[in-house]
């Protein structure tokens, strides 16, 4: 497969030609309530923190305590709704907060209900709440097939879908049907001694026990069409 004539020439051109898609997700800065669950066996025990930055695929929060588990549970408060999140720490450091040292954590979502993800998107974009929330829930994902995904070579599409299905982040697509997911381009990725690859973030959804869950998964696609997780 000639990478520059397929993924690079079609998908990258698609994103660079669409101003709204040049950046994967917008971010919104501003304080919001965060609570950390230090004991998974005791959901009522929560430690308060302060959120400072949020996007549809992650957030930054500050808390006096040291969070020891890389993957953990937090609650956030947006628009008078409490949103439970399973998150994974990407980076952390210590900062001064109100005159005292506090821990700052940059996290990515590992598990989130789809309607909560939609709420975060509206909050980040400062969009109004839909009049009929239940009717509007997931409407865009249900009705629209992502054009950028369809520009990928078929072999790459199948590899991405296989990984998502294996990780239970996407239901197996029906024969002849395009899977309902959305693709974001993350730019060229170079590593010493390895061929260059392109980063793609895939937003997918799957119904679990009558609740739709949303997931974001990062992939690298190289010039040979090989697909790997970031």
């Amino acid at each position: 497969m000639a990478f520059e004539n397929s993924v690079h020439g079609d998908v990258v051109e698609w994103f660079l030609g669409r101003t709204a898609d040049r950046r994967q997700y917008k971010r919104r800065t501003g304080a919001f309530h965060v609570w950390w669950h230090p004991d998974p066996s005791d959901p009522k025990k929560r430690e308060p923190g302060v959120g400072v930055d949020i996007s549809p695929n992650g957030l930054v929060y500050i808390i006096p305590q040291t969070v020891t588990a890389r993957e953990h549970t937090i609650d956030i408060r947006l628009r008078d709704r409490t949103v439970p999140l399973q998150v994974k720490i990407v980076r952390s450091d210590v900062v001064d907060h109100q005159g005292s040292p506090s821990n700052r954590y940059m996290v990515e979502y590992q598990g989130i209900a789809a309607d909560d993800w939609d709420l975060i998107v509206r909050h980040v974009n400062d969009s109004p709440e839909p009049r009929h929330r239940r009717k509007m829930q997931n409407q865009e994902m249900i009705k629209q097939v992502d054009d950028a995904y369809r520009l990928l070579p078929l072999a790459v599409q199948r590899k991405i879908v296989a990984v998502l299905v294996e990780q239970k982040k996407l239901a197996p697509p029906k024969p002849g049907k395009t899977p309902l997911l959305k693709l974001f381009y993350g730019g060229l990725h170079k590593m010493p001694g390895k061929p260059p690859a392109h980063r793609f973030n895939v937003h997918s959804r799957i119904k679990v026990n009558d609740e739709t869950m949303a997931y974001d998964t990062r992939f690298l696609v190289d010039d040979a069409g090989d697909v790997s997780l970031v």
Side-chain angles (χ1 to χ4, degrees):
M1 182 188 70
F3 183 82
E4 292 189 355
N5 292 328
S6 53
V7 177
H8 184 271
D10 294 333
V11 181
V12 176
E13 182 179 352
W14 162 269
F15 281 103
L16 295 182
R18 291 167 57 88
T19 303
D21 290 327
R22 288 181 185 175
R23 180 168 180 175
Q24 176 184 315
Y25 288 130
K26 293 181 180 179
R27 305 190 70 85
R28 180 168 177 173
T29 301
F32 55 93
H33 292 292
V34 173
W35 295 270
W36 166 52
H37 291 260
D39 185 357
S41 65
D42 185 3
K44 293 184 179 180
K45 184 178 181 180
R46 303 192 306 178
E47 299 290 346
V50 178
V52 296
D53 186 280
I54 188 168
S55 80
N57 66 336
L59 59 85
V60 180
Y61 74 94
I62 296 172
I63 194 168
Q65 293 81 7
T66 300
V67 179
T68 56
R70 187 183 183 196
E71 296 190 12
H72 56 279
T73 301
I74 61 174
D75 297 333
I76 64 174
R77 188 74 173 171
L78 296 177
R79 297 190 175 187
D80 296 324
R81 282 175 58 185
T82 299
V83 176
L85 299 169
Q86 296 291 327
V87 299
K88 178 177 69 175
I89 297 173
V90 178
R91 294 187 302 277
S92 64
D93 56 14
V94 177
V95 297
D96 181 82
H97 179 63
Q98 297 180 345
S100 300
S102 289
N103 296 289
R104 179 170 62 181
Y105 295 100
M106 289 134 274
V107 301
E108 291 182 341
Y109 310 136
Q110 295 297 291
I112 179 174
D115 57 340
D116 291 335
W117 190 88
D118 293 336
L119 169 67
I120 292 174
V121 171
R122 291 194 297 271
H123 173 75
V124 171
N125 293 328
D126 199 21
S127 302
E129 294 295 311
R131 283 189 174 184
H132 306 288
R133 179 180 297 168
R134 186 173 297 275
K135 182 178 179 181
M136 293 293 293
Q137 180 180 336
N138 305 328
Q139 179 172 287
E140 183 175 350
M141 286 289 292
I142 291 172
K143 290 187 175 181
Q144 295 185 5
V145 175
D146 188 51
D147 290 330
Y149 167 80
R150 295 170 71 175
L151 292 174
L152 287 170
L154 184 59
V156 174
Q157 293 180 19
R158 289 172 174 170
K159 291 176 183 178
I160 289 175
V161 168
V163 171
L164 295 174
V165 170
E166 182 181 4
Q167 293 191 343
K168 301 186 185 305
K169 296 179 178 180
L170 182 71
K174 296 180 180 180
K177 297 292 185 180
T178 302
L180 295 174
L181 49 79
K182 187 165 179 59
L183 188 81
F184 298 90
Y185 179 62
L188 187 65
H189 182 77
K190 295 182 179 180
M191 294 184 64
K194 294 185 178 181
H198 289 262
R199 293 191 303 270
F200 292 96
N201 190 82
V202 178
H203 180 80
S204 60
R205 297 183 176 190
I206 186 171
K207 182 169 286 189
V208 180
N209 298 326
D210 295 326
E211 182 177 26
T212 303
M213 300 297 293
Y215 296 95
D216 284 279
T217 309
R218 296 183 181 184
F219 293 91
L220 288 177
V221 182
D222 66 16
D223 57 0
D226 292 327
V227 174
S228 60
L229 289 168
V230 179

